[in-house]
Amino acid sequence: MLRKINRGYRKLVSPFRNFLFRSVLEQKECEVRIIDMNLTGMNVEDIVPIIEKEQPQVVGISTGTPTFPNGVRIADLIKAVHPQTYIVFGGIHATSLPNEALINPSIDIVCRGEGELVIADLYEALILSKKPLAEVPGISFKIDDQVIHNPPREYITNLDEIPFPARHLLSLSKYSQRGAMVTSRGCPARCIFCSCGAFAGRTIRTRSPENVIAEIRVMHETYGITQFQFHDDTFTMFPDRAIEVCKLLIKENKGWEFGCQSRVTQITQELADILYAAGCRAIQFGVESGNPYVLRSIRKGITLEKVEEAVKAVRKAGIPHITCGFMVAHPEDTKETIKDTVNFAKKLIGLGATSCPMSIFTPYPGTDIFNNPEKYGIKILSRDWEKYTFSRAHIETKNLTQREIHELYVEGLIQILEAQGNKPFQKTS
């Protein structure tokens, strides 16, 4: 939330978690405050006394799909306490369904996609009155109950220009992943179940290896962090770049450790070895299915053989935590193909995977399957967003009923958990 204070600055108080925007606003002489309601365990109504005290001009709320209804409740309370406050929603859900978001009377503006440049423009439009909302690319807003969609904003091409997140505004010691960071954006893959491309674009944009190491140094020197988590959709998408980051980490020689996500198609023994040497102690692969036909139908672009090779390579390198994620109830899944998935997960455990979590295929807004359910022969049964978790079935397919999906999921999950056991890690030769 933004308001004038005695020093001539403006103040932002934000209930949403992403804190890159706050760094951008601080560069514009904004005093910035973040309220992470998940971390503090606040109830929705706990926002009321804060709003009464601060009387903000703008509040930004970012949500995913399951948290969207709660975000609306927060917005409703803010408007009830201080009707003059502008409410700006961001995140993948509002980006995918801006019209639906703006139906809510408490939501004034939707920021579609990346928000760093948008929030800077909104500061000038709403607080400094230097430009009308019509001149802010990348937003949707209301005029007399009519929704206006401004042209999309171009993606930020030079990610090195974005300031490091404003971690100093958080009680960082309370987070389980204090070293979380993102070193790239976008994904060229066209998996039917994923909304990454719709939100961050189909072109991979990367930060330079030097910029990545600079942020790690800041986190280490300022907060004593030694374990980092690269939350890129695919940290290894460009293997040469991943190797350069690893070489710089090795050169630092600080004993830092990290975890990352990778596609199996990018993994070679050379890359696996240098990942381990640089401190990689956890890696995650999205496998999704143990049936070749189903993999092709969801446009995953991998083979079962390559999955096995990747698991063997990272196991041989010595990476102790290897996660392979799966989903069931893909549009082409049957009882037999789901058995294939469960059996393949158990096979990977035998090859060295330490965890094979399984979830139920969920048609999230922004995905191709949500936009075109008839094309894939599925029926979406619910739009109760709070129930859009990975353990509930919200679809029926041409092959499986909602009840069958749930039963097969539970049966398969039990088998995988039994196969995982608690086996100690042993590096393979």
Side-chain angles (χ1 to χ4, degrees):
M1 56 189 73
L2 300 169
R3 66 176 178 85
K4 293 182 179 179
I5 60 176
N6 292 335
R7 292 195 300 270
Y9 283 40
R10 275 90 176 161
K11 188 171 185 179
L12 173 77
V13 178
S14 175
F16 62 142
R17 299 181 65 183
N18 187 321
F19 40 78
L20 282 169
F21 305 156
R22 267 60 80 200
S23 295
V24 172
L25 287 166
E26 283 191 324
Q27 289 184 340
K28 291 184 172 290
E29 295 191 328
C30 288
E31 182 182 348
V32 183
R33 179 182 175 193
I34 305 172
I35 301 173
D36 187 335
M37 299 180 71
N38 286 331
L39 182 71
T40 59
M42 292 173 61
N43 294 317
V44 171
E45 59 271 16
D46 293 335
I47 199 70
V48 171
I50 299 173
I51 300 301
E52 290 176 332
K53 178 182 177 181
E54 301 290 346
Q55 296 187 4
Q57 286 181 261
V58 180
V59 171
I61 302 174
S62 182
T63 78
T65 293
T67 57
F68 178 77
N70 212 43
V72 174
R73 294 184 193 106
I74 295 170
D76 289 342
L77 281 173
I78 293 171
K79 283 287 191 180
V81 175
H82 198 250
Q84 300 93 325
T85 299
Y86 288 102
I87 304 292
V88 182
F89 261 58
I92 181 59
H93 187 87
T95 293
S96 302
L97 299 174
N99 284 339
E100 181 175 309
L102 289 167
I103 286 174
N104 297 279
S106 297
I107 301 176
D108 300 299
I109 300 169
V110 166
C111 167
R112 308 191 314 267
E114 292 179 330
E116 289 88 359
L117 299 181
V118 173
I119 199 70
D121 274 357
L122 286 177
Y123 169 77
E124 294 191 358
L126 299 176
I127 306 306
L128 302 183
S129 300
K130 287 186 175 181
K131 64 172 65 176
L133 287 178
E135 294 181 8
V136 178
I139 67 168
S140 299
F141 63 100
K142 291 180 288 195
I143 297 180
D144 298 328
D145 294 327
Q146 180 182 357
V147 176
I148 307 296
H149 299 292
N150 287 357
R153 182 181 291 270
E154 292 184 2
Y155 292 110
I156 301 170
T157 55
N158 186 359
L159 299 183
D160 285 5
E161 293 180 349
I162 302 174
F164 297 154
R167 294 182 174 88
H168 59 280
L169 299 175
L170 297 168
S171 299
L172 206 60
S173 61
K174 297 180 180 179
Y175 286 83
S176 60
Q177 291 193 358
R178 297 191 300 147
M181 59 186 296
V182 176
T183 77
S184 65
R185 295 179 180 179
C187 181
R190 297 186 176 273
C191 306
I192 67 173
F193 55 85
C194 181
S195 58
C196 174
F199 186 78
R202 299 292 179 190
T203 301
I204 294 280
R205 294 160 290 136
T206 63
R207 294 166 56 187
S208 67
E210 294 77 14
N211 184 258
V212 173
I213 300 303
E215 183 178 353
I216 290 175
R217 275 201 215 103
V218 169
M219 285 193 280
H220 177 67
E221 294 169 1
T222 307
Y223 306 105
I225 298 173
T226 59
Q227 293 182 323
F228 304 90
Q229 301 80 34
F230 297 136
H231 282 271
D232 307 42
D233 288 286
T234 307
F235 174 68
T236 61
M237 182 60 77
F238 299 120
D240 289 345
R241 172 184 173 271
I243 289 172
E244 286 303 310
V245 173
C246 288
K247 286 180 177 178
L248 291 177
L249 286 169
I250 293 169
K251 185 178 180 180
E252 291 286 331
N253 195 28
K254 296 289 198 313
W256 295 330
E257 296 182 349
F258 68 91
C260 67
Q261 299 179 111
S262 174
R263 284 179 64 86
V264 296
T265 50
Q266 265 62 38
I267 293 295
T268 61
Q269 193 62 57
E270 176 193 9
L271 179 55
D273 289 341
I274 197 167
L275 283 168
Y276 178 79
C280 182
R281 297 298 178 264
I283 192 165
Q284 179 170 338
F285 301 116
V287 182
E288 319 312 349
S289 176
N291 180 273
Y293 172 71
V294 173
L295 280 178
R296 291 192 296 272
S297 73
I298 61 175
R299 302 201 297 258
K300 182 62 183 177
I302 64 174
T303 64
L304 300 182
E305 293 76 17
K306 186 57 185 175
V307 176
E308 294 181 31
E309 291 174 9
V311 170
K312 290 177 183 178
V314 296
R315 178 75 172 190
K316 183 178 180 181
I319 298 174
H321 301 289
I322 306 166
T323 299
C324 296
F326 290 89
M327 289 189 289
V328 295
H330 296 288
E332 297 297 327
D333 255 334
T334 65
K335 292 181 180 180
E336 291 305 314
T337 63
I338 290 176
K339 289 180 181 177
D340 291 341
T341 292
V342 173
N343 289 333
F344 188 64
K346 292 193 289 185
K347 181 178 183 180
L348 294 181
I349 292 167
L351 293 176
T354 51
S355 176
C356 288
M358 190 168 71
S359 60
I360 296 177
F361 187 103
T362 304
Y364 281 103
T367 63
D368 192 46
I369 196 164
F370 179 87
N371 294 332
N372 304 285
E374 299 85 1
K375 171 183 170 183
Y376 295 101
I378 72 160
K379 182 178 180 181
I380 298 176
L381 304 175
S382 170
R383 290 171 72 102
D384 185 346
W385 305 126
E386 286 182 305
K387 294 181 179 179
Y388 265 53
T389 62
F390 293 115
S391 59
R392 288 187 173 101
H394 297 285
I395 62 172
E396 60 182 24
T397 72
K398 58 188 177 184
N399 299 315
L400 300 168
T401 66
Q402 184 182 30
R403 180 173 180 175
E404 287 173 331
I405 290 170
H406 184 263
E407 290 175 349
L408 289 165
Y409 163 72
V410 172
E411 291 171 5
L413 189 61
I414 290 172
Q415 291 184 49
I416 291 172
L417 291 173
E418 289 175 346
Q420 284 176 189
N422 293 299
K423 300 174 183 178
F425 174 79
Q426 292 182 345
K427 181 177 178 178
T428 59
S429 59

